[in-house]
Amino acid sequence: MTEATRGAAPISDKRSATRSAGRERRQGAGLDLFLPYLLLAPAVLTVFGVLVYPLWNGIQASTKLYRYGKAVSDIGLDNYRRLWSDPEFLNSLWVTLRFVTISVAIETVLGFALALFCAKEFSGIRLLRAVLIVPMVVTPVVVAIVFRLIYANDTGMLTALSEALGGGQVDILSDPVKAFVGLIALDVWEWTPLIFLILLAGLQSLPQEPFEAAQVDGAGAWRTFIDLTVPMMRPVLAVAIVLRTIDAFGTFDQVFVLTRGGPGTSTKLISLYGYEVAFKFQQTGYAAALFVTVGLLILALALAAVRLLRRVEAT
Amino acid sequence: MSSTDSRRDGVNRRNLLKGGAGAALLAGLGSATPAKAAGKKVVIGGFVDGALVPFKDKIIPLAQQQGFDIQFLQDQYGVTLEKFFNDAQSGAGQYDLYLLDDPWVPQFGAAEVLEDLGAAGIDGADKDWVRPMVDMGYWPPQTGPRVRGFETATPKLICVPFIGDIQTFTYRNDVYKNGAPKTWDEVLELGKAGVSSGAIKYPVVFDGVSGNPIVTSWHPLLLSFGGDFFDDKWNVIFNSDVGKASADFLVTTLKQNAPPGVVEYDSNEVGASMLRGDSGATIQYTGNALVSDDPSQSKEVGKLDFSVVPKKEKAIAQIGIFIAGVPKTGPNKANAIEFLKWFVTPEIQAKLSAAGAIPVKRTAFTVPPAGNRLIPVTLAQFDAGAMPRPRTPDWAKIEELVGIQLNKALQAGSGGGAALDVAAGQIKDYLTQAGYYK
């Protein structure tokens, strides 16, 4: 059939075909319109139920005054204002910032060093890599209990070791500075493997040509590390640091078991203080304001880190 | 039949019918047994403490014989308050009966989440109760200051004493050879002599951890020195001259005579120090003291004796009883109330005493044989002087603020009085903001 013949088809057939095609299009359009939403609905509802609603509820609670577990009045932003004159909040925020900064810095340096070492292939390396990530998979509460047994000044392992060597009792948890250092040591032991794992993956994915070229040019190991490895690893380092920083802000189990925030308030992290305010002192509204504020601080930090990462990638 | 065979049999219609017939037969047989075997379910929540062991080992089996189907769920002390309060408020209904620490009663009372046990038929006026114990079951309190909003409310019995507990003095009878020391001066003088003779390493030991533990150590000292926490209008008075003297005595004098790491000592470490034979004396609750004669836990069997606490001006100890409340949202609260009525009968209280726990009814203290030689000492302490912690729903916060400052001073080894001034200021600010002084 030629084009001309096809064009001369009876008008009734044409109309019928047009109607049929229109119906199909409408049906298709309906499916196109609703099916994606239908498929997305379970996920959206779940996110709404477990994330959006609790968050909204928390924000609402943060504007109320609670007494004896019940909301008694709306107080606007008073809870947020009160935070900045609460010495316990300011202290725990300061302790948390110090804890996060020091522990993440140490973990990054150690994790990078271990990753560089384990990036090489030699006999037993697979076993070593597996062993190095063991601390990360132990339950944090168990780690804290073990460290408490190590640090205990009367029957702890460090005291036993010290006494065997002719020394005296080792007081870690009863001294503010030592207890803080002890908490950082625990965190470093447990979470250096996370940084190690991320950086090892990054190192193994680096192209080999620049390193071979540097070797041909006679560059030493240190020069290669500074001029090639570090710049090429910057995006991976940034991701590892951001992830670990956000995680470290939420540290709770270890400090709850190891020191309960003491001695005094020397190891009282913001998570522990927030927990006490919410559940022990039943100041629900104030606790909600505290956690919203801390959440915003972490969000700001994460956004700043992402912006930094983009800038690094661009250069 | 091997496991493979059983898998091969699997689930088919015939097996299901057989199973159904069997279940129906069992149900029929079950209905023919007496009602008490049907099981009146009661889920009891408590925290881990040695004082509850006799109840768990001896009384729960008795209750089961009586037809109660008891589930006893225990948690660590540090998380129990928040867990119970959350359960009561959210209506989760995880428990039918809470075993609370007595200072938690006001918080539950103010939130109005517990059943009125007086209205349910438990007689709080019964003369057989140890009075200071049952007084703590009322909200608002029958005597003493009341918090805002409850000034004119009629007190209701929302909790009943469950296991008696109070601080008593535990001491080494080979160090204090003429019996219990009556004053703190004697405690230290004879304790130092004990250290010189090599019988012990340290004269005393106490809880030093921030918060509840160190306040538990200091409160009996404050009372013994003649001080108190608040006046009748909730004004802070613990930083009076005698209060400061008691704090300085704790963080300086007692610390110098205690193990070096006492800042990190909680009741577990204190108990271990006594049972290991390191320390000569302590003030403690009954949980640790009850195991003093157990050779599997104590190296000093027969060497630890108990008495009323030493005095400065008075010999007053802090009450810390286990007290039972029934949540309004408990799914089996009728069973829980029935269980409580059974538990506080003189017969069961006598059995509790024989099992080695501190009873809550006076007659049970005199029923021989008491299961533990500590039991008559606790009654003597109740009669000599026993004070509860202040009856306010904000006690947890108050205790935290005092505890932090005392712990800092203890760590420094000085400045107890100054620590109390700081804590007093913080508590005054907190109570002002909470509307106590309007």
Short mmCIF file of all heavy atoms in Angstrom, two decimals, chain A residues 67-70 82 88 148 152-155 169 171 173-174 176 256 260 263-265 268 275-276 279-283, chain B residues 78-79 82 85 89 107 110-112 147 260-261 263-265 269 276 393-394 396-397 400-401 404 407 411 430 433 436:
data_model
loop_
_atom_site.label_atom_id
_atom_site.label_comp_id
_atom_site.label_asym_id
_atom_site.label_seq_id
_atom_site.Cartn_x
_atom_site.Cartn_y
_atom_site.Cartn_z
N ARG A 67 5.81 19.83 82.76
CA ARG A 67 5.99 19.59 84.20
C ARG A 67 5.46 18.19 84.49
O ARG A 67 4.34 17.85 84.08
CB ARG A 67 5.21 20.60 85.04
CG ARG A 67 5.86 21.97 85.09
CD ARG A 67 7.23 21.98 85.73
NE ARG A 67 7.22 21.79 87.18
CZ ARG A 67 8.26 21.33 87.87
NH1 ARG A 67 9.38 20.97 87.25
NH2 ARG A 67 8.19 21.20 89.18
N TYR A 68 6.23 17.41 85.19
CA TYR A 68 5.84 16.06 85.58
C TYR A 68 5.37 15.25 84.38
O TYR A 68 4.39 14.52 84.43
CB TYR A 68 4.75 16.10 86.65
CG TYR A 68 5.02 17.10 87.75
CD1 TYR A 68 4.05 17.97 88.20
CD2 TYR A 68 6.29 17.18 88.33
CE1 TYR A 68 4.32 18.89 89.21
CE2 TYR A 68 6.57 18.09 89.33
CZ TYR A 68 5.58 18.95 89.76
OH TYR A 68 5.87 19.86 90.74
N GLY A 69 6.08 15.42 83.26
CA GLY A 69 5.81 14.61 82.08
C GLY A 69 4.66 15.11 81.22
O GLY A 69 4.35 14.49 80.21
N LYS A 70 4.03 16.24 81.58
CA LYS A 70 2.90 16.73 80.78
C LYS A 70 3.19 18.15 80.28
O LYS A 70 3.77 18.95 81.03
CB LYS A 70 1.63 16.79 81.64
CG LYS A 70 1.14 15.43 82.09
CD LYS A 70 -0.03 15.64 83.05
CE LYS A 70 -0.32 14.37 83.83
NZ LYS A 70 -1.03 14.60 85.06
N ARG A 82 17.00 29.54 76.80
CA ARG A 82 17.51 29.04 78.09
C ARG A 82 18.80 28.23 77.92
O ARG A 82 19.67 28.22 78.78
CB ARG A 82 16.43 28.17 78.73
CG ARG A 82 16.47 28.15 80.24
CD ARG A 82 15.36 27.27 80.77
NE ARG A 82 15.91 26.13 81.48
CZ ARG A 82 15.24 25.01 81.71
NH1 ARG A 82 14.03 24.85 81.28
NH2 ARG A 82 15.81 24.02 82.39
N GLU A 88 25.41 23.78 82.29
CA GLU A 88 25.59 22.34 82.03
C GLU A 88 25.55 22.04 80.53
O GLU A 88 26.30 21.21 80.03
CB GLU A 88 24.50 21.53 82.74
CG GLU A 88 24.73 21.44 84.24
CD GLU A 88 23.69 20.56 84.90
OE1 GLU A 88 23.90 19.34 84.95
OE2 GLU A 88 22.66 21.11 85.32
N ARG A 148 36.30 -0.46 81.14
CA ARG A 148 36.09 -0.17 82.57
C ARG A 148 36.90 -1.16 83.41
O ARG A 148 37.47 -0.80 84.44
CB ARG A 148 34.60 -0.25 82.90
CG ARG A 148 34.26 0.36 84.22
CD ARG A 148 32.80 0.57 84.48
NE ARG A 148 32.61 0.88 85.89
CZ ARG A 148 32.83 2.06 86.43
NH1 ARG A 148 33.19 3.07 85.68
NH2 ARG A 148 32.67 2.26 87.72
N ALA A 152 39.72 0.19 85.90
CA ALA A 152 39.34 0.18 87.33
C ALA A 152 40.58 0.26 88.22
O ALA A 152 41.54 -0.49 88.04
CB ALA A 152 38.55 -1.07 87.65
N ASN A 153 40.54 1.18 89.18
CA ASN A 153 41.78 1.47 89.92
C ASN A 153 42.13 0.41 90.96
O ASN A 153 43.28 0.30 91.36
CB ASN A 153 41.71 2.86 90.55
CG ASN A 153 41.30 2.81 91.99
OD1 ASN A 153 40.30 2.17 92.32
ND2 ASN A 153 42.07 3.45 92.83
N ASP A 154 41.12 -0.38 91.40
CA ASP A 154 41.43 -1.38 92.42
C ASP A 154 41.78 -2.75 91.83
O ASP A 154 42.77 -3.35 92.21
CB ASP A 154 40.27 -1.51 93.43
CG ASP A 154 38.92 -1.66 92.74
OD1 ASP A 154 38.88 -1.67 91.49
OD2 ASP A 154 37.91 -1.79 93.45
N THR A 155 40.96 -3.21 90.90
CA THR A 155 41.21 -4.55 90.35
C THR A 155 41.45 -4.52 88.85
O THR A 155 41.45 -5.56 88.21
CB THR A 155 39.99 -5.46 90.63
OG1 THR A 155 38.83 -4.81 90.13
CG2 THR A 155 39.82 -5.74 92.11
N GLN A 169 48.63 1.93 92.39
CA GLN A 169 47.35 1.88 91.69
C GLN A 169 47.31 2.94 90.59
O GLN A 169 47.86 4.03 90.75
CB GLN A 169 46.21 2.11 92.66
CG GLN A 169 46.02 0.94 93.63
CD GLN A 169 44.76 1.09 94.46
OE1 GLN A 169 44.23 2.18 94.60
NE2 GLN A 169 44.29 -0.02 95.02
N ASP A 171 45.07 5.47 88.69
CA ASP A 171 43.77 6.15 88.76
C ASP A 171 43.48 6.82 87.43
O ASP A 171 44.09 7.83 87.11
CB ASP A 171 43.80 7.23 89.86
CG ASP A 171 43.88 6.61 91.24
OD1 ASP A 171 43.32 5.52 91.42
OD2 ASP A 171 44.51 7.23 92.12
N LEU A 173 39.84 6.72 86.01
CA LEU A 173 38.46 7.21 86.00
C LEU A 173 38.16 8.19 87.13
O LEU A 173 37.09 8.78 87.17
CB LEU A 173 37.50 6.02 86.06
CG LEU A 173 37.62 5.05 84.88
CD1 LEU A 173 36.66 3.89 85.04
CD2 LEU A 173 37.39 5.76 83.56
N SER A 174 39.10 8.37 88.06
CA SER A 174 38.83 9.31 89.15
C SER A 174 39.50 10.66 88.92
O SER A 174 39.40 11.55 89.76
CB SER A 174 39.29 8.72 90.48
OG SER A 174 40.62 8.29 90.39
N PRO A 176 39.74 13.94 86.25
CA PRO A 176 39.02 14.50 85.10
C PRO A 176 39.79 14.41 83.78
O PRO A 176 39.23 14.02 82.76
CB PRO A 176 38.79 15.95 85.49
CG PRO A 176 38.92 16.00 86.97
CD PRO A 176 39.85 14.90 87.35
N PHE A 256 28.27 6.33 78.70
CA PHE A 256 27.23 5.95 79.68
C PHE A 256 27.75 4.82 80.58
O PHE A 256 27.53 4.83 81.79
CB PHE A 256 25.98 5.50 78.93
CG PHE A 256 24.79 5.21 79.81
CD1 PHE A 256 24.02 6.24 80.32
CD2 PHE A 256 24.44 3.91 80.13
CE1 PHE A 256 22.92 5.99 81.13
CE2 PHE A 256 23.35 3.64 80.94
CZ PHE A 256 22.59 4.68 81.45
N ARG A 260 29.81 7.63 82.99
CA ARG A 260 28.54 8.32 83.32
C ARG A 260 28.73 9.83 83.34
O ARG A 260 28.06 10.55 84.10
CB ARG A 260 28.01 7.86 84.66
CG ARG A 260 27.42 6.49 84.63
CD ARG A 260 25.94 6.58 84.77
NE ARG A 260 25.31 5.32 84.45
CZ ARG A 260 24.02 5.14 84.51
NH1 ARG A 260 23.23 6.10 84.86
NH2 ARG A 260 23.51 4.00 84.18
N PRO A 263 34.59 12.02 86.17
CA PRO A 263 34.27 12.68 87.44
C PRO A 263 33.80 14.12 87.23
O PRO A 263 34.24 14.78 86.29
CB PRO A 263 35.60 12.64 88.19
CG PRO A 263 36.64 12.37 87.18
CD PRO A 263 36.01 11.69 86.04
N GLY A 264 32.93 14.57 88.13
CA GLY A 264 32.28 15.87 87.92
C GLY A 264 31.50 15.81 86.62
O GLY A 264 30.65 14.95 86.44
N THR A 265 31.84 16.73 85.71
CA THR A 265 31.18 16.72 84.39
C THR A 265 32.23 16.63 83.29
O THR A 265 31.98 17.03 82.16
CB THR A 265 30.35 18.00 84.19
OG1 THR A 265 31.18 19.12 84.50
CG2 THR A 265 29.14 18.03 85.09
N LYS A 268 31.04 14.54 80.35
CA LYS A 268 29.60 14.56 80.05
C LYS A 268 29.37 15.09 78.64
O LYS A 268 29.36 16.29 78.39
CB LYS A 268 28.85 15.41 81.08
CG LYS A 268 27.34 15.29 80.89
CD LYS A 268 26.57 15.69 82.10
CE LYS A 268 26.52 14.61 83.14
NZ LYS A 268 25.69 14.91 84.29
N TYR A 275 20.09 13.03 77.25
CA TYR A 275 19.38 11.85 77.75
C TYR A 275 18.88 12.10 79.18
O TYR A 275 17.73 11.79 79.51
CB TYR A 275 20.32 10.65 77.70
CG TYR A 275 19.87 9.47 78.52
CD1 TYR A 275 18.90 8.59 78.04
CD2 TYR A 275 20.40 9.24 79.79
CE1 TYR A 275 18.47 7.52 78.80
CE2 TYR A 275 19.99 8.17 80.55
CZ TYR A 275 19.03 7.31 80.06
OH TYR A 275 18.60 6.25 80.82
N GLU A 276 19.76 12.66 80.01
CA GLU A 276 19.37 12.92 81.40
C GLU A 276 18.22 13.92 81.47
O GLU A 276 17.26 13.72 82.20
CB GLU A 276 20.57 13.46 82.18
CG GLU A 276 21.61 12.40 82.49
CD GLU A 276 22.82 12.97 83.22
OE1 GLU A 276 22.95 14.21 83.33
OE2 GLU A 276 23.64 12.17 83.68
N PHE A 279 14.98 12.05 79.99
CA PHE A 279 14.40 10.86 80.63
C PHE A 279 14.56 10.82 82.15
O PHE A 279 13.74 10.25 82.84
CB PHE A 279 15.01 9.60 80.01
CG PHE A 279 14.69 9.48 78.54
CD1 PHE A 279 15.67 9.67 77.60
CD2 PHE A 279 13.41 9.21 78.13
CE1 PHE A 279 15.39 9.59 76.25
CE2 PHE A 279 13.10 9.13 76.78
CZ PHE A 279 14.10 9.31 75.84
N LYS A 280 15.63 11.42 82.66
CA LYS A 280 15.84 11.37 84.10
C LYS A 280 15.12 12.54 84.78
O LYS A 280 14.48 12.37 85.80
CB LYS A 280 17.35 11.44 84.38
CG LYS A 280 17.77 10.81 85.66
CD LYS A 280 19.29 10.66 85.64
CE LYS A 280 19.83 10.54 87.03
NZ LYS A 280 21.30 10.56 87.03
N PHE A 281 15.26 13.73 84.17
CA PHE A 281 14.65 14.91 84.78
C PHE A 281 13.28 15.23 84.18
O PHE A 281 12.61 16.15 84.63
CB PHE A 281 15.57 16.13 84.63
CG PHE A 281 17.00 15.87 85.03
CD1 PHE A 281 18.05 16.45 84.34
CD2 PHE A 281 17.30 15.02 86.08
CE1 PHE A 281 19.37 16.21 84.70
CE2 PHE A 281 18.62 14.78 86.44
CZ PHE A 281 19.65 15.36 85.75
N GLN A 282 12.90 14.50 83.15
CA GLN A 282 11.56 14.64 82.53
C GLN A 282 11.26 16.05 82.03
O GLN A 282 10.13 16.49 82.06
CB GLN A 282 10.48 14.20 83.54
CG GLN A 282 10.51 12.73 83.85
CD GLN A 282 10.29 11.87 82.61
OE1 GLN A 282 9.52 12.22 81.74
NE2 GLN A 282 10.99 10.75 82.51
N GLN A 283 12.30 16.75 81.56
CA GLN A 283 12.07 18.08 80.97
C GLN A 283 11.99 17.91 79.45
O GLN A 283 12.91 18.29 78.70
CB GLN A 283 13.22 19.01 81.35
CG GLN A 283 13.28 19.27 82.85
CD GLN A 283 14.51 20.08 83.22
OE1 GLN A 283 15.64 19.68 82.97
NE2 GLN A 283 14.28 21.22 83.81
N GLY B 78 20.47 2.31 86.97
CA GLY B 78 20.61 3.58 86.26
C GLY B 78 19.62 3.80 85.13
O GLY B 78 19.50 4.92 84.64
N VAL B 79 18.94 2.78 84.67
CA VAL B 79 18.00 2.99 83.55
C VAL B 79 16.56 2.67 83.94
O VAL B 79 15.65 2.81 83.13
CB VAL B 79 18.39 2.12 82.32
CG1 VAL B 79 19.73 2.53 81.78
CG2 VAL B 79 18.38 0.64 82.64
N GLU B 82 13.74 5.84 84.23
CA GLU B 82 13.27 6.36 82.95
C GLU B 82 12.42 5.34 82.20
O GLU B 82 11.44 5.67 81.55
CB GLU B 82 14.44 6.86 82.08
CG GLU B 82 15.75 6.15 82.18
CD GLU B 82 16.66 6.65 83.30
OE1 GLU B 82 16.22 6.65 84.46
OE2 GLU B 82 17.82 6.99 83.01
N PHE B 85 8.94 5.15 83.98
CA PHE B 85 8.16 6.38 83.81
C PHE B 85 7.64 6.50 82.38
O PHE B 85 6.51 6.88 82.13
CB PHE B 85 9.01 7.60 84.18
CG PHE B 85 8.19 8.84 84.41
CD1 PHE B 85 7.39 8.95 85.54
CD2 PHE B 85 8.19 9.87 83.50
CE1 PHE B 85 6.62 10.08 85.75
CE2 PHE B 85 7.42 11.01 83.71
CZ PHE B 85 6.64 11.12 84.84
N GLN B 89 3.75 6.59 81.28
CA GLN B 89 3.22 7.75 80.55
C GLN B 89 2.70 7.40 79.17
O GLN B 89 1.68 7.92 78.73
CB GLN B 89 4.34 8.77 80.39
CG GLN B 89 4.43 9.73 81.54
CD GLN B 89 5.15 10.95 81.09
OE1 GLN B 89 6.21 10.87 80.49
NE2 GLN B 89 4.59 12.10 81.37
N GLN B 107 7.65 11.61 91.71
CA GLN B 107 7.60 11.83 90.26
C GLN B 107 6.39 11.10 89.64
O GLN B 107 5.66 11.66 88.82
CB GLN B 107 8.90 11.34 89.63
CG GLN B 107 9.02 11.71 88.18
CD GLN B 107 10.41 11.43 87.61
OE1 GLN B 107 11.42 11.55 88.32
NE2 GLN B 107 10.48 11.03 86.36
N ALA B 110 3.12 12.86 91.04
CA ALA B 110 2.78 14.12 90.40
C ALA B 110 2.25 13.90 88.98
O ALA B 110 1.42 14.67 88.50
CB ALA B 110 4.00 15.03 90.38
N ALA B 111 2.74 12.88 88.33
CA ALA B 111 2.28 12.59 86.96
C ALA B 111 0.95 11.84 86.96
O ALA B 111 0.35 11.65 85.90
CB ALA B 111 3.34 11.77 86.22
N GLU B 112 0.51 11.42 88.14
CA GLU B 112 -0.79 10.74 88.32
C GLU B 112 -0.92 9.53 87.40
O GLU B 112 -1.91 9.37 86.69
CB GLU B 112 -1.93 11.74 88.08
CG GLU B 112 -1.89 12.87 89.11
CD GLU B 112 -2.88 13.99 88.83
OE1 GLU B 112 -3.13 14.26 87.65
OE2 GLU B 112 -3.35 14.59 89.80
N VAL B 147 4.84 20.27 96.95
CA VAL B 147 5.16 21.08 95.77
C VAL B 147 3.89 21.75 95.25
O VAL B 147 2.78 21.36 95.59
CB VAL B 147 5.81 20.22 94.64
CG1 VAL B 147 7.11 19.63 95.09
CG2 VAL B 147 4.85 19.14 94.16
N PRO B 260 42.35 4.94 97.48
CA PRO B 260 42.70 6.09 96.65
C PRO B 260 41.72 6.35 95.50
O PRO B 260 41.53 7.49 95.09
CB PRO B 260 44.09 5.74 96.11
CG PRO B 260 44.44 4.41 96.63
CD PRO B 260 43.41 3.95 97.58
N GLY B 261 41.11 5.32 94.98
CA GLY B 261 40.21 5.53 93.84
C GLY B 261 38.76 5.69 94.21
O GLY B 261 37.87 5.44 93.39
N VAL B 263 36.82 8.05 94.35
CA VAL B 263 36.04 8.94 93.49
C VAL B 263 35.25 8.13 92.46
O VAL B 263 34.17 8.52 92.03
CB VAL B 263 36.97 9.94 92.77
CG1 VAL B 263 36.20 10.85 91.83
CG2 VAL B 263 37.72 10.79 93.78
N GLU B 264 35.76 6.97 92.07
CA GLU B 264 35.08 6.16 91.07
C GLU B 264 34.35 4.97 91.69
O GLU B 264 33.96 4.03 91.00
CB GLU B 264 36.06 5.67 89.99
CG GLU B 264 37.14 4.78 90.53
CD GLU B 264 38.08 4.25 89.44
OE1 GLU B 264 37.73 3.25 88.82
OE2 GLU B 264 39.15 4.87 89.23
N TYR B 265 34.17 4.99 93.02
CA TYR B 265 33.51 3.86 93.69
C TYR B 265 32.00 4.04 93.70
O TYR B 265 31.48 5.06 94.13
CB TYR B 265 34.01 3.73 95.14
CG TYR B 265 35.27 2.92 95.28
CD1 TYR B 265 36.27 2.96 94.32
CD2 TYR B 265 35.49 2.10 96.39
CE1 TYR B 265 37.43 2.22 94.44
CE2 TYR B 265 36.65 1.35 96.53
CZ TYR B 265 37.62 1.43 95.56
OH TYR B 265 38.77 0.70 95.69
N GLU B 269 31.72 -1.42 94.03
CA GLU B 269 33.12 -1.33 94.46
C GLU B 269 33.21 -1.27 95.98
O GLU B 269 34.12 -1.85 96.59
CB GLU B 269 33.81 -0.10 93.85
CG GLU B 269 34.13 -0.22 92.37
CD GLU B 269 32.95 0.04 91.46
OE1 GLU B 269 31.96 0.65 91.92
OE2 GLU B 269 32.99 -0.41 90.29
N ARG B 276 36.34 -8.12 100.26
CA ARG B 276 37.73 -8.51 100.01
C ARG B 276 38.58 -8.35 101.25
O ARG B 276 39.69 -8.86 101.33
CB ARG B 276 38.33 -7.61 98.93
CG ARG B 276 38.38 -8.16 97.55
CD ARG B 276 39.38 -7.43 96.67
NE ARG B 276 39.44 -6.00 96.84
CZ ARG B 276 38.76 -5.12 96.11
NH1 ARG B 276 37.94 -5.53 95.19
NH2 ARG B 276 38.90 -3.83 96.32
N PRO B 393 9.13 15.76 93.17
CA PRO B 393 9.31 15.11 91.87
C PRO B 393 10.60 15.53 91.18
O PRO B 393 11.01 14.92 90.20
CB PRO B 393 8.10 15.57 91.05
CG PRO B 393 7.19 16.26 91.98
CD PRO B 393 7.96 16.64 93.20
N ASP B 394 11.22 16.60 91.66
CA ASP B 394 12.45 17.10 91.04
C ASP B 394 13.70 16.58 91.75
O ASP B 394 14.79 17.11 91.55
CB ASP B 394 12.44 18.64 91.04
CG ASP B 394 11.37 19.17 90.11
OD1 ASP B 394 11.47 18.94 88.90
OD2 ASP B 394 10.41 19.79 90.61
N ALA B 396 15.53 13.96 91.32
CA ALA B 396 16.60 13.44 90.44
C ALA B 396 17.52 14.58 90.00
O ALA B 396 18.75 14.43 89.98
CB ALA B 396 16.01 12.73 89.23
N LYS B 397 16.93 15.73 89.66
CA LYS B 397 17.73 16.87 89.21
C LYS B 397 18.52 17.46 90.39
O LYS B 397 19.71 17.80 90.26
CB LYS B 397 16.80 17.94 88.61
CG LYS B 397 17.49 19.19 88.13
CD LYS B 397 18.29 18.94 86.88
CE LYS B 397 18.99 20.19 86.38
NZ LYS B 397 19.84 19.92 85.24
N GLU B 400 21.40 15.30 91.24
CA GLU B 400 22.44 15.40 90.21
C GLU B 400 23.30 16.64 90.44
O GLU B 400 24.53 16.58 90.39
CB GLU B 400 21.78 15.44 88.83
CG GLU B 400 22.73 15.49 87.66
CD GLU B 400 23.42 14.17 87.39
OE1 GLU B 400 23.03 13.17 88.01
OE2 GLU B 400 24.36 14.16 86.57
N LEU B 401 22.63 17.77 90.71
CA LEU B 401 23.37 19.03 90.89
C LEU B 401 24.27 18.97 92.13
O LEU B 401 25.43 19.38 92.08
CB LEU B 401 22.40 20.21 91.00
CG LEU B 401 21.63 20.55 89.71
CD1 LEU B 401 20.55 21.59 89.98
CD2 LEU B 401 22.58 21.05 88.63
N ILE B 404 27.24 16.34 91.49
CA ILE B 404 28.34 16.78 90.62
C ILE B 404 29.33 17.62 91.42
O ILE B 404 30.55 17.41 91.36
CB ILE B 404 27.80 17.58 89.41
CG1 ILE B 404 27.12 16.64 88.41
CG2 ILE B 404 28.92 18.36 88.72
CD1 ILE B 404 26.37 17.36 87.30
N ASN B 407 31.23 15.56 93.99
CA ASN B 407 32.20 14.68 93.34
C ASN B 407 33.44 15.47 92.92
O ASN B 407 34.58 14.99 93.06
CB ASN B 407 31.54 14.02 92.13
CG ASN B 407 32.49 13.15 91.33
OD1 ASN B 407 33.03 13.59 90.33
ND2 ASN B 407 32.72 11.93 91.80
N GLN B 411 37.15 14.80 94.36
CA GLN B 411 38.30 14.58 93.49
C GLN B 411 39.45 15.51 93.89
O GLN B 411 40.61 15.10 93.92
CB GLN B 411 37.85 14.82 92.05
CG GLN B 411 38.84 14.43 90.99
CD GLN B 411 39.58 15.63 90.50
OE1 GLN B 411 38.99 16.69 90.29
NE2 GLN B 411 40.87 15.48 90.32
N TYR B 430 17.14 26.57 89.74
CA TYR B 430 16.30 25.54 89.11
C TYR B 430 14.89 25.54 89.70
O TYR B 430 13.89 25.51 88.97
CB TYR B 430 16.96 24.17 89.28
CG TYR B 430 16.11 23.06 88.72
CD1 TYR B 430 16.06 22.84 87.34
CD2 TYR B 430 15.34 22.26 89.54
CE1 TYR B 430 15.26 21.84 86.81
CE2 TYR B 430 14.55 21.26 89.02
CZ TYR B 430 14.50 21.05 87.66
OH TYR B 430 13.71 20.06 87.15
N GLN B 433 12.89 28.62 88.67
CA GLN B 433 12.39 28.47 87.30
C GLN B 433 11.24 27.45 87.24
O GLN B 433 10.33 27.57 86.43
CB GLN B 433 13.59 28.05 86.43
CG GLN B 433 13.30 27.74 84.99
CD GLN B 433 13.16 26.25 84.77
OE1 GLN B 433 13.86 25.45 85.38
NE2 GLN B 433 12.24 25.88 83.90
N TYR B 436 8.75 26.91 92.29
CA TYR B 436 8.60 26.51 93.70
C TYR B 436 8.34 27.70 94.63
O TYR B 436 7.79 27.52 95.70
CB TYR B 436 9.87 25.79 94.18
CG TYR B 436 9.88 24.31 93.88
CD1 TYR B 436 9.76 23.84 92.58
CD2 TYR B 436 10.01 23.37 94.90
CE1 TYR B 436 9.77 22.48 92.29
CE2 TYR B 436 10.04 22.01 94.63
CZ TYR B 436 9.92 21.57 93.33
OH TYR B 436 9.94 20.22 93.05
#
